[in-house]
Amino acid sequence: MQDRYDPKSIEPKWQQRWADLSVDKAGGRTGAPKYYVLAMLPYPSGEMHMGHARVYSITDVLARYYRKKGLDVLHPFGWDSFGLPAENAAIKEGVHPALRTPRNIASFKQDVIAMGISVDWSREIATSDPEYYRWNQWFFLKMLELGIVYRRRSKVNFCPSCNTVLANEQVEDGLCWRCGSKVLEREIPEWAFRITRYADALLEGLEKLDWPERVVAMQRNWIGRSDGLEIDFPLVDSGNAKIRVFTTRADTIFGATYMAVAPDHPLLKLAPAEKKAELAAFAEKIRAAKKALGEGAQMAEKEGVDTGLRARNPFTNQEIPVWAANFVLSGYGTGAVMSVPAHDERDLEFATRYQLPVKYVVRPSDDEEVTVVAARKLVADQKAYTDYGFLFDSGQFSGMPSAQARLAIAAEAQRRAIGKPAVNYHLRDWGFSRQRYWGTPIPIVYCDKDDPEHKGIPVPVDQLPVVLPDIDVKEVLTGMGEPPLAKVSSWINTTCPKCGGPARREAETMDTFVDSAWYFARYLDPKNDQLPFSREAADRFLPVDVYVGGPEHAVMHLLYFRFWTKVMKELGLCNIDEPAQRLVTQGIVKGRDGEKMSKSKGNVVSPRDIIGRYGADTARLFILFAAPAEKDMDWSDEQVEGQYRFLGRLWRLVHGALPKLEGRADPAGAMGEALEARRKAHRTVAKVTQQLERLQFNTAISSLMELSNALTGLEPADAAAKGALHEALSLLVQLLAPLAPHMAEELWAELGNSAATREDELTLRAWPTADPALVAEDLVTVAVQVNGKLRGQIQIAAAAPEDQVRAAAAADPKVVPWLEGKQIKKVVVIPKRLVNFVVAG
RNA sequence: GCGAGAGUGGCGGAACUGGCAGACGCGCCGGCCUUAGGAGCCGGUGGGGCAACUCGUGCGGGUUCGAGUCCCGCCUCUCGCACCA
């Protein structure tokens, strides 16, 4: 034993012992329920940062807690080791990603171990390992068969100077990150997942998940289902041509006074000759503007051009003008809208600018008088009435409420064969081709003979994996020209699986979101060379019980992850609908200045430094104590010191008590102070258990501090009291174990519970249970109120009957003056808590 | 604009299904110990008032014996989406 708490001398020792005993291995407790706790897959930068430390602190507390509860806990770890950062670093520094990546992993892994994170390293995976990514290729081929993977043309960012395609991250303010040239748009073929096929399944699945509302809302919004009507507006004097629109407000169709189409709408070719030049110029202008503004930028003012075309409103039979407008998106719905300026803000803004007619057809009430006034006010204020209401000036539909009219008008359109109900989604298919080197090769070859149109011939499954070739970094990873793999002639040139003749491999690689879409399942069976994972393993451990990671993954990763799970079920690999039942999105860690930690701000605090100075237990306690898991937290050196001091006090508390524990007896006979200590300890067991179940780590730690404070300064009077103190300290240490495991192991041993074998380890590992007799209170403090204001407090037996409690409350000296001479109208008694006298006057 | 979340001491934050607001920690104040302490220990700490008491959970209403908690109407902040028809 040492005099002072010195984390450096105890933490590595216990980390070594945990590793030696393999206490963290999953799968050993076949009879027990499983518990799968997972942190989001990290990109292996060379050093763990605070955000990582926070995630792993959370998952590790859960892993250790449930292991102690006797569950078969799976807490695995792996590396998202493919991707752009490694490739960009290679382009800049000329170091091959395959060299850099293992170094980064080793360094990061050291940090994870130094934090005392209890990981089953026998299941470690790295996505850049061919034994991992071969299964990406396997999935690709299966999904190609099912029609979930397909080839399409799509627009990409292209740098004309580097002659290469750029990822969105490589475009800065519309300029190439490398050479600063203006980025162009270009159409190229790419591979895509038909995730839209699962839009409704992904939407419905959200209902059953125990996920933060914020994330659920973002996913719902991202999928963006909207139900409406597609309906044709015939063009006037243009033969049979008609413009199809999508609307969710069919009830307003009698108010459609013009149409608006996207600037590149195909039917604009029917526009009168004299308009063609103007329309072409407009389309070009809008395209250029969109490109320059980039994504997320505020769109300019609404703008349009009268196409000269005229359409007929199929319900009013009136002729209405057709405009090309910048606010209509060619990629959504039919690329054309019926404009109802009276009932749509956007349509009104446009109509106002170009002086198009506004016709109100829905009103808030079916009362003529009210309506006229309301309508006048709307016109005077130049406001659209966008709420549902009652129809007027709408022929046979007048008087109907909007909700009903929507359906009735849709039915009528269907009857007349000019429209049909339609559903639109914001969700787009997931294009996953990347013109990069450091990713999973797409297992496709192109053969001029067997595949003249270059649709792609799948590589046979038994030829997987298609392994990335080794390359000369300086020659291949230039960031310029054709895709990197196309430059590796020894690799790109291959033989056709069909004819055996010369063929070329697909030069593109997969988006790294593919890697992270299913890694959680590979952990179950990481060495399987027949399948991504066995059905047996899946049935044992899926789904993930708690998934922890940053809210920045709310849509992309978490949507792909869910999508992939649905595909895996379709393939019969597993029988779950959703990959993770519960999601915890942890808040960000801010620096000393209250700003988000970042290198550029110079406010980064490194976990490595904190562990070096205070030890992992302090780092863990600080991180868990500073804020609830889901909230942002500020870094505070003082609070870190505070946790270090707490651990120091605990150390001295136990070591100071050791001599007093000699000659202890069964605590059952303890009285007075010692009995109170036992009670406090058992109550803390009950409390902390509940707090850990609820992921309330900050209050769990404060409960331990309370117990520690209560036990400080106790002088056991007899043998039973000594036993009581020993019991209370042992419980305190056991409760501490998931949170500050090294300290707990050390003190547990000091308290005479040696941990030399795996079985002894399991003694500490068993989670304590509270003795109900000690948790129950026999004497309680009851608050006494008069007219809802606190006037006194009484101590009384918990079991005292109500009239006794009432009498004692009324007799309390502090309460008496407030009741004197008053008439008591009512007395509210809440057992064990409070008495409230309601008096007159 | 739409969606989600949050407003409680000097600070981070507690408060189970309405029941003693401010647990726990930081900071601060006082004391002890010490050659010394930026170590440790003990005590205090929402505002006002000597006190009895009183005021206090973003603002304004309401329900209730009783509201940080429930209802209605606002304000502010954070995050996400943003011409989605």
Side-chain angles (χ1 to χ4, degrees):
Chain A
M1 142 180 180
Q2 293 109 2
D3 306 330
R4 281 193 55 233
Y5 168 46
D6 176 26
K8 275 197 195 64
S9 71
I10 64 176
E11 294 188 346
K13 179 177 80 186
W14 288 107
Q15 284 159 14
Q16 188 57 50
R17 177 158 295 164
W18 294 328
D20 291 345
L21 297 178
S22 300
V23 294
D24 312 312
K25 254 207 166 74
R29 298 176 180 177
T30 43
K34 64 92 185 182
Y35 185 80
Y36 187 179
V37 55
L38 183 64
M40 285 182 188
L41 191 67
Y43 173 78
S45 52
E47 196 174 329
M48 183 167 89
H49 66 237
M50 256 329 145
H52 293 124
R54 192 172 189 194
V55 183
Y56 310 141
S57 295
I58 294 167
T59 58
D60 194 52
V61 172
L62 295 173
R64 287 178 181 272
Y65 169 71
Y66 284 105
R67 230 179 259 134
K68 288 169 206 304
K69 294 273 280 188
L71 273 60
D72 194 4
V73 170
L74 175 58
H75 185 212
F77 211 98
W79 311 99
D80 194 14
S81 47
F82 266 147
L84 203 56
E87 184 155 342
N88 286 346
I91 294 170
K92 276 188 179 152
E93 296 160 30
V95 184
H96 195 296
L99 289 177
R100 171 187 295 266
T101 301
R103 285 205 301 262
N104 283 354
I105 288 177
S107 163
F108 196 126
K109 184 172 173 179
Q110 224 170 20
D111 292 343
V112 176
I113 292 169
M115 271 296 280
I117 308 301
S118 59
V119 167
D120 182 351
W121 290 108
S122 71
R123 295 166 185 266
E124 182 179 2
I125 58 169
T127 58
S128 57
D129 181 344
E131 284 311 304
Y132 182 82
Y133 68 70
R134 72 180 289 182
W135 300 109
N136 288 345
Q137 296 170 341
W138 184 90
F139 276 118
F140 172 95
L141 296 174
K142 292 285 176 192
M143 287 157 84
L144 191 62
E145 282 169 27
L146 291 174
I148 302 169
V149 161
Y150 69 101
R151 196 132 166 90
R152 66 176 187 188
R153 295 188 73 78
S154 114
K155 288 173 186 161
V156 293
N157 305 305
F158 187 81
C159 172
S161 156
C162 299
N163 187 30
T164 195
V165 170
L166 299 173
N168 283 335
E169 301 91 313
Q170 293 173 320
V171 181
E172 295 161 0
D173 296 327
L175 304 177
C176 172
W177 67 301
R178 209 156 172 277
C179 67
S181 312
K182 207 166 164 215
V183 172
L184 304 179
E185 190 173 79
R186 180 172 276 199
E187 268 212 347
I188 59 162
E190 69 162 4
W191 294 96
F193 291 119
R194 213 179 291 279
I195 189 171
T196 50
R197 186 188 278 181
Y198 298 84
D200 282 327
L202 289 167
L203 212 48
E204 285 156 20
L206 289 171
E207 308 290 331
K208 294 172 287 186
L209 294 175
D210 189 10
W211 285 22
E213 189 52 39
R214 199 160 78 96
V215 175
V216 171
M218 278 167 83
Q219 294 223 344
R220 197 176 283 131
N221 198 26
W222 187 262
I223 297 166
R225 179 185 165 116
S226 65
D227 287 87
L229 172 71
E230 273 186 11
I231 182 165
D232 295 327
F233 280 54
L235 283 178
V236 178
D237 303 327
S238 302
N240 287 327
K242 40 197 175 254
I243 299 181
R244 170 157 286 211
V245 302
F246 174 71
T247 177
T248 55
R249 289 298 303 272
D251 56 310
T252 64
I253 196 164
F254 285 82
T257 52
Y258 66 98
M259 299 188 78
V261 302
D264 53 352
H265 194 280
L267 285 184
L268 292 183
K269 64 178 187 284
L270 300 177
E274 71 273 17
K275 286 280 186 182
K276 288 243 161 94
E278 192 186 351
L279 285 168
F282 179 63
E284 184 46 44
K285 182 180 161 190
I286 299 308
R287 186 175 25 206
K290 281 196 174 165
K291 196 73 228 167
L293 285 167
E295 287 179 60
Q298 192 74 34
M299 184 74 80
E301 229 184 307
K302 288 185 181 39
E303 235 186 301
V305 172
D306 188 344
T307 62
L309 293 166
R310 298 182 74 76
R312 191 174 300 283
N313 181 324
F315 278 74
T316 63
N317 276 322
Q318 271 172 337
E319 278 188 21
I320 57 176
V322 178
W323 285 65
N326 63 346
F327 68 84
V328 182
L329 309 171
S330 55
Y332 186 80
T334 60
V337 298
M338 65 174 206
S339 289
V340 186
H343 303 292
D344 183 289
E345 308 272 8
R346 193 192 43 191
D347 293 346
L348 181 63
E349 197 186 323
F350 191 82
T352 306
R353 173 154 185 193
Y354 293 103
Q355 294 174 354
L356 295 161
V358 178
K359 183 188 172 199
Y360 288 85
V361 294
V362 178
R363 53 198 188 190
S365 148
D366 209 22
D367 178 333
E368 194 77 32
E369 288 298 313
V370 176
T371 300
V372 171
V373 174
R376 283 210 185 109
K377 184 158 166 39
L378 288 166
V379 175
D381 295 349
Q382 304 207 331
K383 280 277 197 60
Y385 178 70
T386 56
D387 291 341
Y388 274 13
F390 296 85
L391 273 62
F392 67 103
D393 287 352
S394 298
Q396 55 177 302
F397 305 97
S398 295
M400 268 191 200
S402 290
Q404 189 191 333
R406 270 183 60 181
L407 301 174
I409 287 170
E412 174 64 11
Q414 213 165 353
R415 195 189 61 76
R416 285 165 53 192
I418 55 169
K420 62 172 199 308
V423 179
N424 266 290
Y425 298 90
H426 179 205
L427 183 69
R428 301 276 90 119
D429 278 339
W430 169 17
F432 64 93
S433 292
R434 296 292 178 268
Q435 303 215 326
R436 313 243 59 90
Y437 167 73
W438 195 232
T440 305
I442 294 173
I444 284 287
V445 297
Y446 298 103
C447 170
D448 291 335
K449 179 164 156 281
D450 291 302
D451 175 28
E453 286 176 52
H454 282 196
K455 288 181 174 168
I457 299 171
V459 173
V461 175
D462 58 16
Q463 288 176 27
L464 299 185
V466 175
V467 181
L468 277 180
D470 195 10
I471 53 165
D472 181 319
V473 172
K474 289 208 172 68
E475 261 172 43
V476 176
L477 298 185
T478 56
M480 299 169 73
E482 41 181 7
L485 286 174
K487 298 176 197 162
V488 187
S489 57
S490 60
W491 184 87
I492 198 83
N493 293 311
T494 185
T495 50
C496 170
K498 285 194 175 166
C499 66
R504 278 174 69 83
R505 290 191 185 281
E506 171 64 79
E508 297 181 338
T509 54
M510 298 184 199
D511 185 354
T512 53
F513 276 119
V514 170
D515 306 325
S516 54
W518 69 280
Y519 74 104
F520 68 101
R522 182 66 180 172
Y523 285 132
L524 311 179
D525 197 5
K527 308 276 193 285
N528 195 327
D529 59 2
Q530 302 299 308
L531 284 169
F533 52 93
S534 74
R535 178 62 190 259
E536 192 193 357
D539 289 344
R540 170 63 173 157
F541 276 106
L542 293 183
V544 173
D545 292 275
V546 177
Y547 193 33
V548 185
E552 68 273 17
H553 293 113
V555 276
M556 308 271 270
H557 163 60
L558 287 172
L559 198 64
Y560 299 150
F561 171 70
R562 297 180 57 226
F563 155 68
W564 210 278
T565 301
K566 292 180 191 305
V567 175
M568 291 195 299
K569 186 181 181 188
E570 219 169 296
L571 291 170
L573 286 164
C574 61
N575 189 31
I576 54 165
D577 293 310
E578 292 289 339
Q581 183 53 40
R582 179 162 189 190
L583 174 72
V584 176
T585 52
Q586 101 281 3
I588 58 171
V589 183
K590 294 177 177 174
R592 297 181 174 98
D593 53 1
E595 298 287 314
K596 185 174 179 173
M597 281 192 190
S598 75
K599 275 187 196 155
S600 60
K601 291 199 189 89
N603 62 351
V604 174
V605 181
S606 144
R608 215 172 260 189
D609 292 346
I610 298 302
I611 294 169
R613 190 174 314 171
Y614 300 101
D617 284 338
T618 296
R620 294 167 62 117
L621 287 188
F622 164 72
I623 286 169
L624 295 167
F625 184 75
E630 310 227 325
K631 286 188 67 177
D632 290 353
M633 58 178 270
D634 295 317
W635 186 264
S636 156
D637 295 303
E638 290 83 4
Q639 289 277 359
V640 176
E641 291 272 2
Q643 294 306 319
Y644 185 66
R645 285 206 292 267
F646 168 58
L647 288 172
R649 278 200 299 276
L650 207 56
W651 178 268
R652 285 189 301 276
L653 172 62
V654 170
H655 285 96
L658 288 176
K660 302 177 205 160
L661 301 176
E662 305 283 341
R664 63 179 178 268
D666 191 317
M671 304 292 288
E673 235 182 23
L675 177 58
E676 281 315 305
R678 292 193 74 201
R679 289 198 159 131
K680 180 75 181 173
H682 281 265
R683 279 171 202 155
T684 305
V685 170
K687 210 159 133 189
V688 171
T689 302
Q690 193 183 58
Q691 285 160 336
L692 294 184
E693 301 268 355
R694 294 182 185 167
L695 277 57
Q696 294 166 350
F697 309 117
N698 54 337
T699 53
I701 293 168
S702 74
S703 299
L704 296 179
M705 288 172 168
E706 276 187 74
L707 177 57
S708 162
N709 292 343
L711 299 179
T712 299
L714 278 188
E715 293 296 336
D718 52 32
K722 290 178 182 208
L725 181 56
H726 183 264
E727 181 196 20
L729 289 172
S730 297
L731 288 174
L732 173 56
V733 165
Q734 280 182 292
L735 296 180
L736 181 72
L739 301 151
H742 313 85
M743 171 69 95
E745 295 276 12
E746 186 74 14
L747 294 182
W748 180 256
E750 299 281 7
L751 283 165
N753 310 290
S754 80
T757 68
R758 182 174 160 94
E759 287 314 304
D760 283 346
E761 282 272 324
L762 292 172
T763 314
L764 169 59
R765 274 155 208 289
W767 190 250
T769 43
D771 179 347
L774 291 168
V775 171
E777 320 227 12
D778 48 5
L779 202 63
V780 291
T781 305
V782 172
V784 185
Q785 298 182 336
V786 178
N787 283 349
K789 285 208 194 304
L790 183 69
R791 295 304 178 191
Q793 287 187 341
I794 54 169
Q795 298 275 323
I796 194 159
E802 195 173 308
D803 54 341
Q804 216 171 8
V805 176
R806 189 181 308 192
D812 185 72
K814 292 197 123 176
V815 176
V816 170
W818 294 97
L819 297 178
E820 224 158 6
K822 302 275 171 61
Q823 190 204 344
I824 298 175
K825 297 202 305 198
K826 187 175 174 184
V827 184
V828 181
V829 180
I830 307 296
K832 298 186 198 178
R833 286 193 177 271
L834 146 157
V835 177
N836 187 15
F837 294 100
V838 185
V839 302

